[in-house]
Amino acid sequence: MNRPGRKTETLIVSVLLAWAALAAGSALGGEADVVDVKVRRSAPGVYDFDVTVRSVDKGWEYFADAFEVLAPDGKVLGRRTLLHPHETEQPFTRDLYGVRIPAGVDRVVVRARHKPKGYDGKILDVQLPK
């Protein structure tokens, strides 16, 4: 029976390890990931959001400092500024009330911002309730 040579075995192992590292990296996300969103309609065209963020907070110069609700075209519909790090509270949930959504928009995107990394984390696409 022919057995692959040492070089072939090494190549196969290297490819598998590279694939595993790539898959793990994409699963990890960024410095501030939106991991859950609950949304309620509070009035016609107005919605309230509870947004859960998991972030790498390391003090006042390195923390999740905002999240936004965006229309499908990228227009910012609502923004909540986060005023302090959440080093010991991960993930954490904060609300944003009274977001006006234009007629005809039935989905929004929610993203979190990290100081100093910016918008590098996972986002969630959210269907609005009727």
Side-chain angles (χ1 to χ4, degrees), residues 39-51:
V39 58
R40 295 169 304 285
R41 183 174 172 262
S42 59
V46 181
Y47 295 83
D48 298 336
F49 292 83
D50 294 326
V51 177

Side-chain angles (χ1 to χ4, degrees), residues 15-90:
V15 167
L16 289 173
L17 287 173
W19 178 82
L22 186 62
S26 65
L28 294 176
E31 300 296 293
D33 297 329
V34 176
V35 297
D36 191 35
V37 176
K38 294 191 180 11
V39 58
R40 295 169 304 285
R41 183 174 172 262
S42 59
V46 181
Y47 295 83
D48 298 336
F49 292 83
D50 294 326
V51 177
T52 302
V53 175
R54 178 174 291 118
S55 62
V56 181
D57 287 12
K58 299 176 185 174
W60 290 96
E61 295 303 316
Y62 203 89
F63 71 100
D65 64 353
F67 66 83
E68 294 179 334
V69 176
L70 306 170
D73 65 1
K75 179 181 178 191
V76 177
L77 302 173
R79 184 173 209 269
R80 164 98 188 238
T81 300
L82 304 169
L83 300 175
H84 60 85
H86 296 87
E87 295 170 64
T88 60
E89 181 189 0
Q90 290 294 324

Side-chain angles (χ1 to χ4, degrees), residues 13 46 96 126 130:
V13 169
V46 181
L96 178 61
V126 180
K130 301 281 182 205

